[in-house]
Amino acid sequence: MTEPRLDLQGRTILVVEDEYLLASELARELKRNGATVLGPVASVEKASAALAERRPDGAVIDINLRSIPVFSFADELVAAKVPFVFATGYDARLLPARFLGVPCHEKPAALGQLLSTLARMMPRPAPASS
C-alpha cells in the first residue's frame, strides 16, 4: 500500500544517515513528497558543514554514525532552531535528557510516519507573494 503524499513542497530537509540503502530510500521519499534534500551525509563533520552552508527547514538524523554519537550535531540543530527527528536502531530511552522531547522513530521506521512527524514540526512556509 502506498503512503499518502505529504506536502513538503518548498522545504529543504537534511538527511544524516550512514546506512546507504536507508539514506537513499529516505531521500527518495522526501523528493516524492516535494522536498529538496540536503545530503544524505554520513558523518557529524559533513552534517555540520551542510548546516553551515545552508540552513534546512528540517532534518532527519541517525543517532549513531559509524559508532560516533550525533548529539553534538543535534545541539547545532537546536541552536539553529531547525526541527529534527531521530531515526535510530537504538532504544529512545538512551537519549540524553536534553533530547527527550525530540521525536524518535526506531529503525526500521515507517517512512510515512517519520516524515509526517517532521512535517508537523515545521512551520508552514509563507505563501508566495504575487
Side-chain angles (χ1 to χ4, degrees), residues 43-116:
S43 72
V44 172
E45 295 79 17
K46 288 180 181 177
S48 292
L51 180 62
E53 186 176 308
R54 181 174 180 191
R55 184 188 178 280
D57 297 301
V60 176
I61 62 174
D62 186 2
I63 287 179
N64 232 332
L65 300 173
R66 299 182 180 129
S67 300
I68 297 172
V70 298
F71 302 125
S72 62
F73 177 67
D75 288 329
E76 290 180 50
L77 290 172
V78 169
K81 295 185 168 97
V82 174
F84 63 96
V85 297
F86 287 118
T88 183
Y90 294 91
D91 189 329
R93 293 177 291 188
L94 298 176
L95 289 173
R98 68 188 184 274
F99 298 119
L100 291 180
V102 175
C104 186
H105 289 263
E106 289 187 33
K107 290 183 202 173
L111 289 181
Q113 290 176 327
L114 187 147
L115 297 181
S116 180

Side-chain angles (χ1 to χ4, degrees), residues 3-9 32-34 111-112 114-117 119:
E3 297 277 349
R5 286 182 62 127
L6 299 168
D7 182 12
L8 296 175
Q9 195 67 39
R32 185 180 83 81
N33 285 280
L111 289 181
L114 187 147
L115 297 181
S116 180
T117 299

